[in-house]
Amino acid sequence: MPRRTIYHAVTERLEILDEHGNIDPELDPHLTAEQLLALYRTMVRMRLFDQKGLNLQRQGRMGTWGSLQGQEASQAGMALAMEPQDWLTPSFREHGLMEAIGVPMRQIYAFWRGDGRGAIYPPHVNCLPQAVPVGTQFLHATGIGLALKKRGERAAVVGCGGDGATSEGDFHEAMNFAGVFQTNTVFFIQNNQWAISLPFNRQTASETIAQKAHAYGIPGIQVDGNDALAVYVASREALERARSGGGPTLIECLTYRLRDHTTADDHTRYRSADEVAEWQKRDPIDRMFAFLAGSGVWNDEREAALRTAINQEVEAEVEKFEQMSPPPPSDIFDYFYEVMPWNLKEQREQLLTEVARC
Amino acid sequence: MLRTEPITGNDRRVAPAEVPKTTRMTLVQAVTRALYEEMERDPTVLVLGQDVGKDGGVFRATEGLYEAFGAERVIDTPLAESGITGTAIGLAVAGFRPVAEIQFMGFVYLALNQFFCHAARLRNRSRGRYNVPMVLRMPYGGGIRPPEHHSESYEALFVATPGIKVVIPSTPYDAKGMLASAIRDNDPVLFLEPKRIYRAFREEVPVEPYTIPLGKANVVRVGKDVTLISYGAMMRPTLEAADAVARDGVSAEVVDLRTLAPVDVETLTASVAKTGRAVVVHEAPKTGGFGGEVTALLNERVLMHLEAPVQRVGGFDVAFPPALLEDYYLPHRARVVEAIRRTLSY
């Protein structure tokens, strides 16, 4: 018997806007001017809100901050495709996407300053607190997606993570379970090419992350993660498939982390200035600006007005964030169990007595 | 033999007037019965794990559930403990009450990251918005001569992790009532089943659903000279030891902890305050085992009542040995009797 091919895999890549902001007319999703501007405004909001987090950290007014700069097109493209009934299981770099679906900036600032109250989100936003142990959140997206499917809800869940997270076992278990149970899940990977100091080519021998979907029998696609239109189109397709019971999808957004991993990191120790400069030329916001300006719906004047308006909003959020009273010490006990057990009651009392003595 | 007489101690909840309908069943049958009743009572209860469906579980703990409730509610999963646990967390967050089975406790390490970092913390992390009403159930402990990694007792790891309740029944009656409580609990519960006594004996168990509150120990035998404290499969050698010393006129009180987290400190301290002596028995390694916690609680609260140091009887501080040596490892009647004598002769 001759050896024969029993499985043949092809992975697609989607690009719609090129680096100079030129659109591929065949792939143009024909968003309305209003949608395009909403997409752009969301990206600029992310940049300015994120930059403020970095500034606050440098001034000693913030804990650790993991910048998302460079990934705005990925997060805004997904945000535009999500609907209010959808769920999000974010990791620690998804604050832009979270803000875009309705989590106030002040909550995110508070969370990263070390205030547990920062994980209180508006009731209409279906979002879990940001997962810190890398990759764990993918399985929650599988479980939530299974729950949505069992109830026949027209809703999907987006499980987020980076290239580093795709090496964790939970990523693979999550895709495997999601494939077997055909859950309403979208695995949304922002491959920013650096997991702290580890470059993508040391993370995996696979050419892409998208191709890993083949191993689990689910669709996978790579998109240009600095192209908000491509991300939007791929996200819309995947979410629609999930909501309608068509099963999970893996989306890889190939993008770049322009800043340090977090404010506790120094990226100049492990990557070259030339490489960063090369990716700065592919800034997703500049690309979208060029496209919108070329379409005649945007200009420098409107840009300046937008930035002024967003900065005012960010400042107002920072003011509210900084006016938050410190959390009461009893907070560390009060949300742990539905019914507080005797040992927590005793320890809570002990702490409050200690505090009262000081 | 473990208790075969009608239910005694704190659990007498059935008034003599209304003679309940009961049936004789083993501990594993009681587990199955509780799962069945809770699934029947609440459509959000799901069972998931390896081989839990058509096969009915490797110990047959889920026997018949697949036929009764179908593949949508009795879910055979791929072989991955973290996957089972993390998926159960997602299901729980989104409105279900999953009962996830880990086939043997020796394989639970793979589930710990999900269970400890998320199930145990999500209520607190989300400030009460999301809770994780899941049960992680599994057979634990030695005594059935299986291959390596099939006999472990890692309960102390879970007790040391805030946010989880840890429940270990020792009788069919308790197994049914406490599993029902665990499933109805709105926080994550680790439910450990002593597989050595899955089928060791039968007792009369009410056929109707009932619950036994979590966090309540059971004084299964009243005595005055020494308190023996144990749980799960070790209740058997502990009660045998109580019988053995009774022949010498020693009256041992026997406390079945039933829940390790939160432990019933009131029952524990009341008993030892009365007897003045205590022996705690478990099969997990002695060092870092729950016996140390019990000893510390007694020292903190009833030191002035103690006539002798609290004695700990545990497994040895080694990996659970291969099958041919497991009888040397596991605490047995003589080892418990020896500890009782030490505390009495102090």
Side-chain angles (χ1 to χ4, degrees):
Chain A
M1 298 287 274
R3 294 189 188 198
R4 59 203 165 93
T5 300
I6 57 163
Y7 182 74
H8 186 73
V10 176
T11 297
E12 276 189 355
R13 177 176 161 96
L14 179 64
E15 303 167 28
I16 297 176
L17 271 188
D18 74 12
E19 285 184 43
H20 311 290
N22 302 310
I23 195 162
D24 182 328
E26 305 245 315
L27 296 174
D28 184 347
H30 299 294
L31 294 183
T32 62
E34 206 174 73
Q35 286 174 311
L36 287 170
L37 292 178
L39 195 51
Y40 183 67
R41 276 196 294 267
T42 302
M43 291 167 69
V44 177
R45 271 175 82 85
M46 286 180 187
R47 175 69 55 94
L48 298 181
F49 153 52
D50 183 89
Q51 185 58 46
K52 189 70 193 181
L54 286 173
N55 296 348
L56 290 171
Q57 194 278 336
R58 285 192 195 115
Q59 294 160 6
R61 295 153 71 193
M62 173 58 62
T64 305
W65 187 262
S67 173
L68 60 73
Q69 290 182 33
Q71 301 176 213
E72 292 88 348
S74 296
Q75 297 193 23
M78 172 52 86
L80 182 66
M82 285 178 73
E83 292 177 3
Q85 74 276 18
D86 294 332
W87 286 67
L88 184 68
T89 68
S91 83
F92 44 81
R93 210 183 298 283
E94 267 76 56
H95 46 279
L97 178 47
M98 290 166 68
E99 200 275 337
I101 65 165
V103 177
M105 294 175 195
R106 60 180 178 277
Q107 296 304 106
I108 294 161
Y109 287 143
F111 183 81
W112 289 110
R113 190 177 56 178
D115 189 333
R117 295 173 300 182
I120 301 173
Y121 308 145
H124 65 277
V125 179
N126 297 321
C127 180
L128 293 193
Q130 291 172 275
V132 176
V134 172
T136 51
Q137 68 282 1
F138 295 122
L139 277 165
H140 310 156
T142 294
I144 292 167
L146 182 56
L148 297 173
K149 183 190 164 106
K150 284 191 178 298
R151 281 200 297 267
E153 287 184 36
R154 243 196 88 73
V157 52
V158 180
C160 300
D163 41 308
T166 67
S167 295
E168 291 282 2
D170 277 0
F171 171 67
H172 299 272
E173 292 187 23
M175 288 211 295
N176 191 41
F177 277 53
V180 169
F181 299 132
Q182 290 292 292
T183 65
N184 297 12
T185 308
V186 178
F187 297 101
F188 187 65
I189 304 301
Q190 291 163 73
N191 176 2
N192 69 20
Q193 305 187 58
W194 289 92
I196 305 189
S197 69
L198 199 75
F200 181 64
N201 65 11
R202 285 289 298 273
Q203 198 65 251
T204 176
S206 294
E207 220 167 296
T208 69
I209 289 169
Q211 74 200 60
K212 294 176 193 272
H214 292 299
Y216 304 103
I218 70 175
I221 185 170
Q222 187 189 72
V223 301
D224 179 344
N226 286 14
D227 170 358
L229 294 182
V231 177
Y232 166 73
V233 167
S235 301
R236 189 182 61 184
E237 276 175 19
L239 286 166
E240 206 34 55
R241 181 181 297 129
R243 289 183 201 118
S244 58
T249 305
L250 171 62
I251 299 174
E252 173 191 9
C253 299
L254 188 65
T255 178
Y256 194 79
R257 191 188 82 213
L258 290 174
R259 300 296 195 129
D260 294 319
H261 165 68
T262 67
T263 47
D265 174 42
D266 172 9
H267 71 97
T268 62
R269 290 171 65 87
Y270 51 79
R271 63 185 188 181
S272 73
D274 286 352
E275 181 188 298
V276 178
E278 207 43 52
W279 278 92
Q280 257 153 359
K281 287 187 207 153
R282 299 176 207 160
D283 188 310
I285 293 179
D286 295 347
R287 183 185 306 195
M288 196 69 180
F289 178 94
F291 169 62
L292 293 176
S295 314
V297 296
W298 204 248
N299 55 40
D300 287 336
E301 201 180 320
R302 297 189 74 177
E303 177 76 17
L306 173 68
R307 287 185 179 248
T308 303
I310 292 174
N311 275 326
Q312 279 169 359
E313 212 183 324
V314 170
E315 289 304 331
E317 286 289 306
V318 169
E319 206 178 313
K320 284 182 198 152
F321 150 63
E322 296 202 313
Q323 278 167 0
M324 283 172 74
S325 56
S330 56
D331 253 38
I332 61 178
F333 298 104
D334 291 347
Y335 300 91
F336 231 88
Y337 297 89
E338 184 181 39
V339 181
M340 194 178 289
W342 65 268
N343 51 327
L344 266 70
K345 282 186 196 157
E346 275 189 15
Q347 291 165 17
R348 186 180 189 275
E349 198 51 44
Q350 179 198 341
L351 174 65
L352 295 184
T353 307
E354 279 173 20
V355 170
R357 268 200 222 111
C358 293
Chain B
M1 202 53 208
L2 205 59
R3 189 174 78 208
T4 52
E5 66 270 45
I7 308 306
T8 57
N10 304 352
D11 277 336
R12 187 188 290 278
R13 63 192 61 255
V14 183
E18 37 166 302
V19 179
K21 275 185 75 178
T22 62
T23 182
R24 289 178 70 74
M25 59 176 79
T26 61
L27 197 151
V28 71
Q29 286 170 334
V31 166
T32 313
R33 187 66 203 163
L35 291 170
Y36 181 89
E37 286 169 3
E38 292 306 303
M39 292 187 80
E40 200 175 42
R41 202 182 63 82
D42 178 353
T44 69
V45 177
L46 306 173
V47 164
L48 71 158
Q50 295 158 213
D51 308 306
V52 298
K54 277 190 178 172
D55 189 43
V58 292
F59 286 100
R60 305 291 174 258
T62 55
E63 177 116 63
L65 299 179
Y66 179 88
E67 290 73 13
F69 300 104
E72 283 294 314
R73 294 186 62 197
V74 184
I75 306 164
D76 277 319
T77 66
L79 198 168
E81 288 78 7
S82 186
I84 292 166
T85 310
T87 300
I89 291 169
L91 284 163
V93 162
F96 286 91
R97 285 187 182 270
V99 183
E101 176 177 307
I102 301 294
Q103 212 155 57
F104 289 88
M105 196 173 202
F107 308 130
V108 78
Y109 283 139
L110 290 157
L112 296 188
N113 194 33
Q114 285 293 339
F115 203 57
F116 288 177
C117 295
H118 291 295
R121 293 181 182 220
L122 197 52
R123 176 188 288 279
N124 187 52
R125 295 191 83 230
S126 67
R127 310 280 296 188
R129 173 165 174 184
Y130 298 113
N131 61 314
V132 184
M134 71 175 282
V135 177
L136 194 62
R137 49 165 290 273
M138 66 200 72
Y140 86 97
I144 65 161
R145 311 228 185 291
E148 202 181 353
H149 301 293
H150 289 68
S151 301
E152 282 66 19
S153 301
Y154 295 138
E155 64 273 14
L157 291 176
F158 293 81
V159 174
T161 303
I164 300 163
K165 294 193 173 88
V166 178
V167 177
I168 312 183
S170 70
T171 68
Y173 177 79
D174 283 357
K176 189 176 143 184
M178 291 170 73
L179 183 51
S181 290
I183 293 169
R184 296 180 199 185
D185 199 284
N186 287 326
D187 288 315
V189 177
L190 177 79
F191 192 84
L192 296 182
E193 298 162 12
K195 61 178 174 291
R196 183 189 198 178
I197 55 168
Y198 257 159
R199 294 181 171 78
F201 61 98
R202 291 170 193 270
E203 71 178 359
E204 293 292 335
V205 174
V207 293
E208 290 301 313
Y210 60 93
T211 58
I212 295 175
L214 307 184
K216 295 283 178 217
N218 193 14
V219 180
V220 298
R221 183 174 300 185
V222 176
K224 61 182 177 51
D225 298 327
V226 59
T227 301
L228 310 183
I229 302 152
S230 190
Y231 50 88
M234 286 297 109
M235 283 302 293
R236 234 158 111 83
T238 301
L239 283 163
E240 286 170 2
D243 288 341
V245 296
R247 290 194 280 275
D248 302 330
V250 175
S251 159
E253 179 145 305
V254 182
V255 177
D256 180 354
L257 288 176
R258 303 197 294 189
T259 300
L260 304 196
V263 69
D264 181 356
V265 70
E266 281 176 28
T267 300
L268 207 54
T269 52
S271 175
V272 178
K274 181 179 73 174
T275 63
R277 292 182 161 84
V279 176
V280 55
V281 184
H282 56 65
E283 60 181 281
K286 187 172 170 183
T287 298
F290 195 67
E293 187 60 34
V294 169
T295 308
L297 283 171
L298 294 174
N299 285 344
E300 283 172 353
R301 283 156 201 262
V302 290
L303 183 70
M304 300 314 284
H305 295 273
L306 285 175
E307 303 287 343
V310 178
Q311 292 291 324
R312 289 183 290 162
V313 178
F316 298 117
D317 293 340
V318 297
F320 197 93
L324 294 183
L325 293 174
E326 71 175 355
D327 290 343
Y328 294 100
Y329 171 89
L330 286 168
H332 47 77
R333 182 186 58 195
R335 203 177 285 163
V336 180
V337 167
E338 184 53 37
I340 296 170
R341 298 228 163 96
R342 277 202 303 273
T343 183
L344 288 169
S345 63
Y346 179 77

